[in-house]
Short mmCIF file of all heavy atoms in Angstrom, two decimals:
data_model
loop_
_atom_site.label_atom_id
_atom_site.label_comp_id
_atom_site.label_asym_id
_atom_site.label_seq_id
_atom_site.Cartn_x
_atom_site.Cartn_y
_atom_site.Cartn_z
N GLY A 44 -0.08 12.47 12.54
CA GLY A 44 -1.45 12.06 12.83
C GLY A 44 -2.35 12.14 11.61
O GLY A 44 -3.18 11.25 11.37
N GLN A 45 -2.19 13.19 10.82
CA GLN A 45 -3.00 13.33 9.61
C GLN A 45 -2.68 12.23 8.59
O GLN A 45 -3.58 11.66 7.97
CB GLN A 45 -2.78 14.72 8.99
CG GLN A 45 -3.38 15.83 9.84
CD GLN A 45 -2.96 17.22 9.36
OE1 GLN A 45 -2.00 17.37 8.62
NE2 GLN A 45 -3.69 18.23 9.81
N HIS A 46 -1.39 11.94 8.43
CA HIS A 46 -1.00 10.88 7.51
C HIS A 46 -1.49 9.52 8.01
O HIS A 46 -1.97 8.70 7.23
CB HIS A 46 0.52 10.84 7.34
CG HIS A 46 1.05 11.95 6.49
ND1 HIS A 46 0.76 12.08 5.15
CD2 HIS A 46 1.88 12.99 6.79
CE1 HIS A 46 1.38 13.14 4.66
NE2 HIS A 46 2.06 13.71 5.65
N LEU A 47 -1.40 9.30 9.31
CA LEU A 47 -1.86 8.04 9.89
C LEU A 47 -3.36 7.86 9.71
O LEU A 47 -3.84 6.74 9.47
CB LEU A 47 -1.49 7.95 11.37
CG LEU A 47 -0.02 7.71 11.66
CD1 LEU A 47 0.26 7.88 13.15
CD2 LEU A 47 0.42 6.34 11.17
N GLN A 48 -4.09 8.94 9.80
CA GLN A 48 -5.54 8.87 9.62
C GLN A 48 -5.88 8.36 8.22
O GLN A 48 -6.74 7.50 8.05
CB GLN A 48 -6.17 10.24 9.86
CG GLN A 48 -7.68 10.22 9.80
CD GLN A 48 -8.28 11.59 10.12
OE1 GLN A 48 -7.58 12.61 10.12
NE2 GLN A 48 -9.56 11.61 10.39
N VAL A 49 -5.18 8.87 7.22
CA VAL A 49 -5.40 8.43 5.84
C VAL A 49 -5.03 6.95 5.70
O VAL A 49 -5.78 6.16 5.11
CB VAL A 49 -4.59 9.29 4.84
CG1 VAL A 49 -4.65 8.72 3.44
CG2 VAL A 49 -5.09 10.73 4.86
N LEU A 50 -3.88 6.57 6.25
CA LEU A 50 -3.43 5.19 6.16
C LEU A 50 -4.36 4.23 6.90
O LEU A 50 -4.59 3.11 6.46
CB LEU A 50 -2.00 5.06 6.70
CG LEU A 50 -0.92 5.73 5.86
CD1 LEU A 50 0.40 5.80 6.63
CD2 LEU A 50 -0.73 5.01 4.54
N GLU A 51 -4.90 4.70 8.00
CA GLU A 51 -5.83 3.87 8.78
C GLU A 51 -7.16 3.70 8.06
O GLU A 51 -7.75 2.61 8.06
CB GLU A 51 -6.03 4.47 10.17
CG GLU A 51 -6.64 3.52 11.16
CD GLU A 51 -6.52 3.96 12.60
OE1 GLU A 51 -6.29 5.17 12.86
OE2 GLU A 51 -6.66 3.10 13.46
N GLN A 52 -7.64 4.75 7.42
CA GLN A 52 -8.93 4.69 6.71
C GLN A 52 -8.90 3.70 5.55
O GLN A 52 -9.94 3.15 5.20
CB GLN A 52 -9.32 6.08 6.18
CG GLN A 52 -9.77 7.02 7.27
CD GLN A 52 -10.00 8.43 6.76
OE1 GLN A 52 -9.64 8.77 5.64
NE2 GLN A 52 -10.61 9.26 7.59
N CYS A 53 -7.74 3.48 4.97
CA CYS A 53 -7.68 2.53 3.86
C CYS A 53 -7.11 1.17 4.28
O CYS A 53 -6.81 0.34 3.43
CB CYS A 53 -6.92 3.13 2.67
SG CYS A 53 -5.22 3.50 2.97
N GLY A 54 -6.99 0.94 5.56
CA GLY A 54 -6.63 -0.38 6.06
C GLY A 54 -5.17 -0.76 5.98
O GLY A 54 -4.83 -1.93 6.04
N LEU A 55 -4.28 0.23 5.85
CA LEU A 55 -2.85 -0.06 5.79
C LEU A 55 -2.17 0.02 7.15
O LEU A 55 -1.12 -0.58 7.37
CB LEU A 55 -2.15 0.89 4.81
CG LEU A 55 -2.57 0.76 3.35
CD1 LEU A 55 -1.99 1.90 2.52
CD2 LEU A 55 -2.19 -0.59 2.79
N VAL A 56 -2.78 0.76 8.08
CA VAL A 56 -2.22 0.98 9.41
C VAL A 56 -3.33 0.87 10.45
O VAL A 56 -4.48 1.22 10.17
CB VAL A 56 -1.54 2.38 9.49
CG1 VAL A 56 -1.18 2.76 10.90
CG2 VAL A 56 -0.30 2.42 8.61
N HIS A 57 -2.96 0.40 11.62
CA HIS A 57 -3.88 0.39 12.75
C HIS A 57 -3.21 1.16 13.89
O HIS A 57 -2.02 0.95 14.16
CB HIS A 57 -4.19 -1.04 13.20
CG HIS A 57 -5.05 -1.10 14.42
ND1 HIS A 57 -6.40 -0.84 14.38
CD2 HIS A 57 -4.74 -1.35 15.70
CE1 HIS A 57 -6.89 -0.94 15.60
NE2 HIS A 57 -5.91 -1.26 16.42
N THR A 58 -3.94 2.06 14.52
CA THR A 58 -3.40 2.79 15.66
C THR A 58 -4.20 2.43 16.90
O THR A 58 -5.39 2.13 16.82
CB THR A 58 -3.41 4.31 15.45
OG1 THR A 58 -4.76 4.75 15.34
CG2 THR A 58 -2.62 4.72 14.23
N GLU A 59 -3.53 2.46 18.02
CA GLU A 59 -4.14 2.12 19.29
C GLU A 59 -3.57 3.02 20.38
O GLU A 59 -2.36 3.18 20.47
CB GLU A 59 -3.83 0.66 19.60
CG GLU A 59 -4.54 0.09 20.77
CD GLU A 59 -4.26 -1.40 20.88
OE1 GLU A 59 -4.45 -2.12 19.88
OE2 GLU A 59 -3.83 -1.81 21.97
N LYS A 60 -4.46 3.61 21.15
CA LYS A 60 -4.01 4.53 22.20
C LYS A 60 -4.06 3.82 23.55
O LYS A 60 -5.08 3.27 23.94
CB LYS A 60 -4.88 5.78 22.22
CG LYS A 60 -4.34 6.86 23.12
CD LYS A 60 -5.08 8.16 22.91
CE LYS A 60 -4.45 9.23 23.79
NZ LYS A 60 -5.05 10.52 23.58
N THR A 61 -2.92 3.84 24.23
CA THR A 61 -2.81 3.31 25.58
C THR A 61 -2.27 4.43 26.45
O THR A 61 -1.11 4.83 26.30
CB THR A 61 -1.87 2.09 25.63
OG1 THR A 61 -2.31 1.13 24.67
CG2 THR A 61 -1.86 1.47 27.01
N GLY A 62 -3.12 4.96 27.31
CA GLY A 62 -2.71 6.12 28.11
C GLY A 62 -2.51 7.31 27.21
O GLY A 62 -3.40 7.70 26.46
N ARG A 63 -1.31 7.88 27.27
CA ARG A 63 -1.00 9.05 26.45
C ARG A 63 -0.26 8.69 25.17
O ARG A 63 0.08 9.57 24.38
CB ARG A 63 -0.17 10.03 27.27
CG ARG A 63 -0.93 10.60 28.45
CD ARG A 63 -0.08 11.52 29.28
NE ARG A 63 0.44 12.61 28.46
CZ ARG A 63 1.38 13.45 28.84
NH1 ARG A 63 1.89 13.35 30.05
NH2 ARG A 63 1.79 14.40 28.05
N ILE A 64 0.03 7.41 24.97
CA ILE A 64 0.84 7.00 23.83
C ILE A 64 -0.04 6.31 22.78
O ILE A 64 -0.77 5.37 23.08
CB ILE A 64 1.96 6.05 24.28
CG1 ILE A 64 2.89 6.79 25.25
CG2 ILE A 64 2.74 5.54 23.07
CD1 ILE A 64 3.95 5.92 25.88
N ARG A 65 0.07 6.79 21.54
CA ARG A 65 -0.62 6.17 20.42
C ARG A 65 0.41 5.34 19.65
O ARG A 65 1.39 5.87 19.13
CB ARG A 65 -1.25 7.22 19.50
CG ARG A 65 -2.00 6.60 18.31
CD ARG A 65 -2.89 7.58 17.61
NE ARG A 65 -4.00 8.04 18.42
CZ ARG A 65 -5.14 7.36 18.64
NH1 ARG A 65 -5.28 6.17 18.12
NH2 ARG A 65 -6.08 7.88 19.37
N THR A 66 0.15 4.04 19.60
CA THR A 66 1.05 3.12 18.92
C THR A 66 0.47 2.74 17.57
O THR A 66 -0.73 2.52 17.44
CB THR A 66 1.27 1.85 19.78
OG1 THR A 66 1.76 2.25 21.07
CG2 THR A 66 2.27 0.92 19.14
N CYS A 67 1.32 2.64 16.58
CA CYS A 67 0.90 2.35 15.21
C CYS A 67 1.57 1.07 14.75
O CYS A 67 2.72 0.80 15.07
CB CYS A 67 1.35 3.47 14.28
SG CYS A 67 0.97 5.11 14.90
#
Side-chain angles (χ1 to χ4, degrees):
Q45 290 170 343
H46 286 295
L47 287 171
Q48 184 177 15
V49 171
L50 291 168
E51 196 165 20
Q52 287 173 349
C53 63
L55 296 171
V56 169
H57 175 75
T58 64
E59 188 174 308
K60 189 169 183 176
T61 306
R63 295 178 57 191
I64 298 174
R65 180 166 294 280
T66 304
C67 313

